[in-house]
Amino acid sequence: MPVLVKDVMHSPVFTLEPSASLEAAYAAMMKRRIRHVPVVETGRVVGVVTDRDLRLAASPFSPSGAKPLQTPIREVMSQPVVTGDPRDPVEDAARVMRQRKIGALPILDGAELVGIVTGIDLLDALLRLTGAEKPSGRIEVRLDDKPGQLARLTQLLAEQGINIHSVLTYPYDEGTICTVLRIGTLETRKLAKSLYDAKFEVLWPPVFKS
């Protein structure tokens, strides 16, 4: 089952109005232990403010000098707002946040604010996607980037009664990929040796060749 934004987002969402002061906004965020707050006006998300925005605005080291604590947050909030959809895969949300260099993404269903997702939420989702939250082992194998190679690897694991929690692949070098498997055994060195004997190139764990 894919992990979607709606599965990891926080809802309902605490919001502030653009007229809220820096002081009031910071106090509210500290009380709730949150770092990102959507700014909503007449039911529409018009900005996002972070604890860093507030600290910088009130700091005498700010390029423009310290703003009065009663300054409305509309003067420091980020806009326009980058948003996501609750039905987006979490990896799409992660890509958008990485590209835009933002720490949170308000989630809209149509025009309605239904949640917010943060970097920590995406890390939690990554643990779920990789199966790393379960007791498990990790194997890395270099494969030729052509049909049948991954099937050959998983077939060998199946023959040995090894359950695969997750499979991730990424380009290794020209013509090959690195395949990272999260597996249902902690005896990874023994398994790595059997893969090596079957002519697989094991990258992790190290194989003591005999």
Side-chain angles (χ1 to χ4, degrees):
M1 177 179 178
V3 180
L4 304 179
V5 166
K6 66 182 180 65
D7 300 320
V8 301
M9 69 184 187
H10 295 277
S11 181
V13 188
F14 174 73
T15 64
L16 291 166
E17 295 184 353
S19 58
S21 68
L22 301 181
E23 183 178 35
Y26 192 76
M29 294 170 74
M30 292 302 99
K31 179 180 178 180
R32 291 167 175 78
R33 298 183 180 181
I34 55 178
R35 299 177 58 191
H36 309 83
V37 177
V39 182
V40 174
E41 187 172 36
T42 61
R44 186 171 62 91
V45 179
V46 295
V48 173
V49 68
T50 71
D51 59 341
R52 183 178 182 275
D53 295 331
L54 301 177
R55 291 196 306 270
L56 182 61
S59 170
F61 300 106
S62 172
S64 58
K67 294 183 179 293
L69 294 181
Q70 296 308 310
T71 300
I73 60 174
R74 67 165 56 90
E75 295 188 17
V76 301
M77 68 184 186
S78 298
Q79 56 179 324
V81 186
V82 180
T83 64
D85 186 281
R87 293 164 288 274
D88 288 339
V90 292
E91 58 267 30
D92 288 356
R95 184 180 63 253
V96 169
M97 291 171 63
R98 179 66 181 88
Q99 289 174 343
R100 299 299 187 96
K101 298 181 180 180
I102 54 179
L105 200 63
I107 306 302
L108 302 184
D109 192 353
E112 180 185 2
L113 177 66
V114 294
I116 188 169
V117 65
T118 69
I120 295 297
D121 299 326
L122 296 179
L123 287 175
D124 289 341
L126 177 62
L127 292 176
R128 292 175 58 185
L129 284 168
T130 60
E133 83 281 9
K134 303 176 182 178
S136 58
R138 186 174 187 269
I139 291 280
E140 291 185 27
V141 181
R142 183 183 182 186
L143 299 175
D144 290 335
D145 189 11
K146 58 185 181 181
Q149 294 303 297
L150 180 58
R152 186 168 72 93
L153 174 60
T154 57
Q155 178 62 34
L156 180 60
L157 295 178
E159 291 172 357
Q160 297 189 33
I162 302 297
N163 187 35
I164 300 174
H165 295 322
S166 68
V167 179
L168 298 174
T169 66
Y170 60 88
Y172 190 81
D173 57 18
E174 186 175 356
T176 68
I177 58 174
C178 179
T179 301
V180 182
L181 302 106
R182 183 65 62 173
I183 54 177
T185 178
L186 298 178
E187 296 185 6
T188 54
R189 291 190 182 275
K190 179 180 177 180
L191 178 59
K193 181 62 166 63
S194 71
L195 291 175
Y196 172 79
D197 292 341
K199 309 304 182 184
F200 285 100
E201 183 178 352
V202 180
L203 302 176
W204 183 264
V207 177
F208 295 100
K209 303 163 187 176
S210 57

